[in-house]
Amino acid sequence: MAGKERDFGTGESVGLTIGSALLWGVAHIATGRQRTGFALMTVYLVLVAVIVTLATAFRGQLLSLAVRPSWLMALTIAIAAIAVIWSVVILWSFWLVRPAASGRNPAAATAGLLCLMIIAPSAWATRLAYVSHDVVSSVFSATTSTPVVSMDPWSGATRLNILLVGADAAANRIGVRTDSMTVASIDTVTGRTTLFGLPRNLEQAPMPKGPARDRFPYGFTGEGPRTPGLLNEVYQYAENHPEVVPGVRSGHRGPTLLKETISGILGIPVDYYAMVDMAGFAEIIDAMGGVKVTIREPITYGRHSEGVLPAGTRRLSGEDALWYGRSRTNSDDYVRMGRQKCLLNAVAQQADPVTLLNSFERLAGATKRAISTDFPQDLLPALMDLGQKVKRTHIRSVQFVPPLISTAYPDWDLIRETVADALKDRPKVAKPASATPSSTPNAGDAISLDDVCG
């Protein structure tokens, strides 16, 4: 029996339409369609129960699925389908309980508003799922060279070593220079992380076996008289000389040779790399709404000392954060390396889910432009789980800088011994009373970034 036949008033029609939006089937039962009404209620309650269960009991698994392209596409379709079905139920309910002609406008407006309240957030969620799919598919490798074991994604490895590269392709230089090189060594069980920082000006870096070592048997010396042969030139040299990394396509030769070179320097395997364009890094920080750091001493920046970052705890914009991590005015490469570690630590600690969600599309766009990596998509869920463990620990840092290491005549054996000591089960963590990112750490000590950065 239609609402018109039952002679529903405007208030009743509005109430039943709202009730049907909150619990499917209310309007159908009110108009005598018991079987249809209870069927809709059952479907609705099952759907709500599934969503609540997934959001509570399986929250961790949901976060992992959120970085799987196939699941993201399925989520996009599911959200859109639910929004359409919900809107159809609302309009169907209104039609059944529509009042006399004189009262239809308010009731119809209510039904339309309810549909909008369902469609708008669903469209937003669908958009986020689509953007996530796009970012994961664009940035991360679709395949992995080794099979992923579901029970142990790291295939028995006790540590995951990722090379973090800050690249600077300035207008006044040819190609890309990897001015910031840090290996994050992460315990796959506890999440305890040690950062190993290598200065850009390390000379005569030993090359991996093969064509690269054949060309540079006594260490990397660069292109010739016009280049000093520093570690930060290895990436671009490989891109310019395919023969030293045979069988690797353009864009991947640089990361491949740099990973192998740094692996040999540190004496540990480098599993994957992630390279961030420095200008793009500033975009990411702006999308986060800035990053809060403690500046111990004023930092002068700019090619002509045109600016100063005052001392104190403050929130830096992307541009200011870039200068914080890059400036060498009145300091040196090693001081800058310390500040870069503090900046990485601050970004990692402050990238909370609410911040990321509020600026998701801006972050997604900046990430696509700024980051390149060979990390495979099928390991992303495990990496997210590991990332949560890392955030609950204190990140430590070892920098291979003077006086521990001479950049002109590095002691490669000492570097490897220091790395091995730092990665022991219970490494001794130095906590100097006046440690700051503007001071050179004690030789060989693993310094807690929380102590150093404030």
Side-chain angles (χ1 to χ4, degrees):
M1 188 179 295
K4 183 178 179 181
E5 297 168 344
R6 291 282 302 274
D7 196 24
F8 286 104
T10 301
E12 290 177 300
S13 177
V14 169
L16 287 170
T17 301
I18 293 175
S20 297
L22 299 175
L23 179 60
W24 297 354
V26 169
H28 290 73
I29 293 174
T31 56
R33 294 166 172 81
Q34 307 291 335
R35 183 176 298 176
T36 304
F38 284 119
L40 286 172
M41 280 187 180
T42 301
V43 171
Y44 177 82
L45 292 174
V46 168
L47 183 61
V48 170
V50 168
I51 292 173
V52 171
T53 301
L54 290 175
T56 53
F58 298 98
R59 183 178 179 182
Q61 289 86 336
L62 281 180
L63 290 174
S64 297
L65 294 177
V67 290
R68 292 186 183 272
S70 58
W71 281 95
L72 286 170
M73 185 55 66
L75 180 62
T76 301
I77 295 171
I79 293 173
I82 291 173
V84 169
I85 293 171
W86 205 327
S87 298
V88 168
V89 170
I90 292 172
L91 294 176
W92 187 8
S93 301
F94 160 72
W95 186 255
L96 293 178
V97 298
R98 65 193 186 279
S102 60
R104 285 185 187 174
N105 287 343
T110 299
L113 180 61
L114 289 170
C115 289
L116 182 62
M117 291 172 64
I118 296 298
I119 291 173
S122 299
W124 177 74
T126 301
R127 172 68 179 169
L128 289 187
Y130 174 79
V131 171
S132 298
H133 176 274
D134 184 45
V135 170
V136 172
S137 300
S138 300
V139 175
F140 297 94
S141 172
T143 58
T144 180
S145 57
T146 56
V148 177
V149 181
S150 58
M151 294 300 293
D152 180 12
W154 311 118
S155 301
T158 58
R159 304 199 73 85
L160 175 68
N161 302 315
I162 303 176
L163 172 61
L164 307 175
V165 180
D168 201 352
N172 62 344
R173 61 171 56 155
I174 298 174
V176 173
R177 293 293 182 267
T178 56
D179 285 344
S180 175
M181 291 163 285
T182 300
V183 171
S185 184
I186 310 168
D187 188 302
T188 56
V189 176
T190 65
R192 291 183 62 178
T193 300
T194 301
L195 304 179
F196 297 106
L198 292 168
R200 68 185 183 92
N201 58 337
L202 273 183
E203 298 183 32
Q204 299 178 326
M207 293 285 98
K209 291 181 179 179
R213 184 175 294 182
D214 293 342
R215 180 163 297 185
F216 301 105
Y218 305 108
F220 182 70
T221 54
E223 292 272 15
R226 299 180 59 184
T227 59
L230 307 181
L231 183 61
N232 72 339
E233 299 170 26
V234 170
Y235 179 100
Q236 192 60 42
Y237 185 90
E239 289 295 330
N240 294 342
H241 298 272
E243 66 277 8
V244 299
V245 196
V248 180
R249 68 182 187 273
S250 177
H252 294 257
R253 292 191 288 265
T256 297
L257 186 57
L258 187 61
K259 282 167 55 180
E260 292 176 354
T261 301
I262 290 178
S263 175
I265 291 173
L266 298 180
I268 56 176
V270 175
D271 304 299
Y272 305 103
Y273 87 97
M275 185 168 72
V276 182
D277 172 76
M278 298 307 290
F281 188 58
E283 283 189 66
I284 292 174
I285 289 177
D286 279 334
M288 288 177 55
V291 61
K292 185 183 292 184
V293 300
T294 298
I295 302 174
R296 303 287 186 173
E297 300 172 0
I299 299 171
T300 303
Y301 64 86
R303 294 180 181 175
H304 304 289
S305 302
E306 64 264 26
V308 175
L309 298 176
T313 299
R314 60 189 70 257
R315 185 170 294 277
L316 303 182
S317 67
E319 182 179 0
D320 288 343
L322 200 56
W323 282 117
Y324 173 82
R326 294 172 75 182
S327 178
R328 284 180 290 168
T329 304
N330 300 327
S331 60
D332 55 30
D333 270 340
Y334 316 123
V335 171
R336 179 172 70 168
M337 286 174 63
R339 291 201 301 266
Q340 288 170 353
K341 301 301 181 295
C342 290
L343 191 57
L344 285 173
N345 188 54
V347 170
Q349 296 299 325
Q350 295 170 40
D352 60 276
V354 174
T355 299
L356 298 181
L357 192 61
N358 287 339
S359 307
F360 189 78
E361 288 210 43
R362 286 185 65 196
L363 278 167
T367 298
K368 285 177 61 178
R369 290 188 294 273
I371 295 179
S372 59
T373 181
D374 61 351
F375 203 89
Q377 293 176 11
D378 50 8
L379 282 180
L380 281 176
L383 183 64
M384 289 191 67
D385 292 339
L386 188 57
Q388 293 303 309
K389 295 179 181 177
V390 172
K391 291 189 72 170
R392 294 193 292 267
T393 66
H394 298 288
I395 298 175
R396 300 175 302 120
S397 176
V398 177
Q399 299 197 79
F400 294 107
V401 299
L404 175 64
I405 296 297
S406 165
T407 56
Y409 303 99
D411 186 335
W412 308 114
D413 290 334
L414 177 59
I415 290 176
R416 287 187 284 270
E417 289 171 8
T418 303
V419 170
D421 287 343
L423 295 183
K424 288 179 180 177
D425 289 340
R426 294 184 180 275
K428 181 180 179 181
V429 178
K431 297 183 179 181
S434 59
T436 75
S438 299
S439 63
T440 302
N442 296 332
D445 283 341
I447 308 273
S448 169
L449 288 184
D450 290 341
D451 296 323
V452 172
C453 303

